[in-house]
Amino acid sequence: MSDRRPLRVGMVGYAFMGAAHSHAWRTAPRFFDLPLQPQLTAVAGRNADGVRAAADKLGWESVETDWRRLIERDDIDLIDICTPGNTHTEIAIAALEAGKHVLCEKPLANSVEEAERMTVVAEAAAKRGVFAMCGFSYRRTPALALAKRMVDEGRLGTIRHVRAQYLQDWLSDENAPMTWRLDRSKSGSGSLGDIGAHSIDAAQWITGQKISGVSALLETFVRERPLAGDLVGLGGHGDVGRDAPRGAVTVDDAAIFSARFEANRSDGGAAGAGAVGVFEATRYALGRKNAMRLELNGTKASLAFDFEDMNALSFYDAAESPDAGFRRIFVTEPEHPYVGNWWPTGHGLGYEHGFTHQVVDLVTAIAQGTQPEPSFADALQVQRVLAAVEASAANSSQWQKV
């Protein structure tokens, strides 16, 4: 038994993200020396049988069928929000105002206005020592964290190009059934907010530059899907009979946009022009299962990453090896971010480890009384980019400032 002060967690939602977060809360204190001891105190879901089964499977001590009960409970210190985007604002604001720390899945909200409200409340709560963080978990992938370190050290020089793709294929079957991710009233957007938001956050975080303007194109390839079907993972297959009921898809299937970044000046001068970027997000790229890719080209060097090969980072240094091309860095050494707490050199990590590292950073920040990152303000910036992309696409791809 640990003698560390407990951090008692109440989680809302228990599906895909709920399972990932549960694993992280259980695992983090077993591999990292945390200043607080996470406790899986309660999980909430509307379906009583479903939430009880999830609690038994995922390791939660108790259940609630109304998320408000989690906030009312005196034995809960932090609310972990793993629900669709249309519920984030109400839950997060209520939790912060009740003095509970918050971890909220991305994107932060379904609109800029909602994200602004959440950010105002979070900044007020932080002054009272109550903190909020948005769950952009790819920041905790060791290879991307190493890329961030290399950029901060100046090894790439001035960043000129940002090239970002997030490619999946789970919606390629036009008879995959409807899910909440295809309903704008619940998800806010489609591939743009679901996966494109990760690329936007990673690009801005690693470069240290904010996107200042975009020109965008959105496309919905399949506009109706079966309302009844067998869900498998994110997708599945529906009843395709002549009389089978179908529902309207109200989100984008693919998002493509060009972007300009605004460089941050550290010498006290005005911000100048930064990198240019191209972004693509789709759930229709057959054969690509979770290809979250990022490439940066600078004046001294380039780096490239693909999550389908997540333990490797490709790096090219023009001065060291101008004729050799990219070299492969296998990010499994103890000195690489997060890796020293896991396995011997060469034994790679997986998708779930990013969520564990997220818990580590969040718990450490709360114990230190410092703002965890990404903050709600950071997530609000991503939300503003998402809104600018949609505005540009709705206006014949005209340039839209963020």
Side-chain angles (χ1 to χ4, degrees):
M1 297 295 293
S2 174
D3 58 0
R4 289 168 289 178
R5 180 165 61 89
L7 181 69
R8 301 163 299 181
V9 180
M11 188 175 74
V12 190
Y14 53 85
F16 172 27
M17 279 298 101
H21 283 221
S22 299
H23 180 276
W25 287 115
R26 291 195 313 268
T27 304
R30 289 168 171 80
F31 285 84
F32 293 80
D33 294 325
L34 300 184
L36 303 173
Q37 179 65 29
Q39 292 183 0
L40 283 69
T41 302
V43 58
R46 291 173 297 178
N47 182 293
D49 292 337
V51 72
R52 288 191 186 97
D56 290 341
K57 182 177 183 180
L58 300 175
W60 294 87
E61 297 172 5
S62 62
V63 302
E64 299 287 354
T65 54
D66 187 336
W67 60 264
R68 296 169 184 82
R69 281 287 299 124
L70 292 182
I71 294 174
E72 293 168 357
R73 287 175 56 160
D74 294 333
D75 62 344
I76 300 289
D77 303 308
L78 181 147
I79 300 295
D80 185 354
I81 304 171
C82 298
T83 53
N86 63 312
T87 65
H88 289 183
T89 303
E90 184 180 12
I91 299 173
I93 289 177
L96 289 168
E97 290 181 340
K100 315 287 188 185
H101 304 293
V102 169
L103 171 60
C104 182
E105 259 302 323
K106 47 52 58 187
L108 186 60
N110 279 3
S111 70
V112 171
E113 186 274 335
E114 290 176 339
E116 287 175 339
R117 287 170 50 207
M118 295 169 72
T119 301
V120 168
V121 174
E123 289 177 345
K127 295 177 181 177
R128 306 191 304 270
V130 177
F131 297 104
M133 186 176 84
C134 190
F136 284 105
S137 57
Y138 285 105
R139 288 192 181 201
R140 273 78 189 191
T141 303
L144 283 179
L146 178 61
K148 167 69 171 171
R149 179 192 296 175
M150 295 168 79
V151 170
D152 288 348
E153 291 172 348
R155 295 182 65 180
L156 270 69
T158 301
I159 306 298
R160 289 172 169 166
H161 285 282
V162 176
R163 206 165 291 109
Q165 294 178 312
Y166 203 143
L167 312 177
Q168 297 178 338
D169 71 354
W170 62 273
L171 277 178
S172 296
D173 179 0
E174 64 183 17
N175 293 310
M178 284 286 295
T179 77
W180 67 267
R181 295 177 187 272
L182 304 176
D183 181 349
R184 183 178 179 85
S185 68
K186 295 182 174 66
S187 63
S189 65
S191 60
L192 175 63
D194 186 24
I195 55 179
H198 277 301
S199 295
I200 293 166
D201 179 71
Q204 294 187 134
W205 172 62
I206 292 174
T207 63
Q209 300 179 20
K210 293 181 179 180
I211 294 174
S212 60
V214 299
S215 174
L217 176 68
L218 300 178
E219 183 60 60
T220 302
F221 299 117
V222 177
R223 298 187 177 274
E224 288 188 336
R225 288 187 173 274
L227 289 173
D230 295 323
L231 288 171
V232 180
L234 292 172
H237 194 83
D239 180 357
V240 297
R242 182 188 301 270
D243 299 324
R246 289 179 175 262
V249 174
T250 53
V251 299
D252 60 279
D253 287 330
I256 302 171
F257 65 95
S258 57
R260 181 172 291 282
F261 290 74
E262 188 173 78
N264 293 323
R265 291 282 296 274
S266 60
D267 58 5
V276 294
V278 289
F279 290 75
E280 180 184 10
T282 180
R283 300 179 289 203
Y284 281 73
L286 275 171
R288 301 300 180 191
K289 303 305 177 181
N290 200 44
M292 190 273 199
R293 300 169 167 177
L294 184 67
E295 180 170 327
L296 304 181
N297 306 130
T299 55
K300 297 180 180 178
S302 296
L303 59 81
F305 169 79
D306 186 339
F307 192 79
E308 289 187 340
D309 189 16
M310 65 167 288
N311 290 292
L313 184 67
S314 296
F315 182 67
Y316 172 78
D317 189 313
E320 289 184 1
S321 52
D323 300 324
F326 279 86
R327 66 181 175 91
R328 178 180 166 93
I329 302 171
F330 201 40
V331 189
T332 64
E333 298 295 328
E335 65 268 20
H336 291 148
Y338 305 106
V339 176
N341 286 73
W342 293 103
W343 318 120
T345 296
H347 295 70
L349 302 187
Y351 173 71
E352 73 277 11
H353 290 84
F355 295 93
T356 302
H357 303 155
Q358 179 172 266
V359 164
V360 170
D361 291 344
L362 175 58
V363 172
T364 301
I366 288 173
Q368 293 174 345
T370 59
Q371 174 60 54
E373 294 181 349
S375 66
F376 277 16
D378 296 326
L380 170 59
Q381 165 63 16
V382 175
Q383 200 80 45
R384 286 174 172 154
V385 175
L386 299 177
V389 168
E390 291 193 308
S392 173
N395 193 26
S396 302
S397 304
Q398 290 192 25
W399 189 256
Q400 178 71 38
K401 290 184 177 180
V402 176

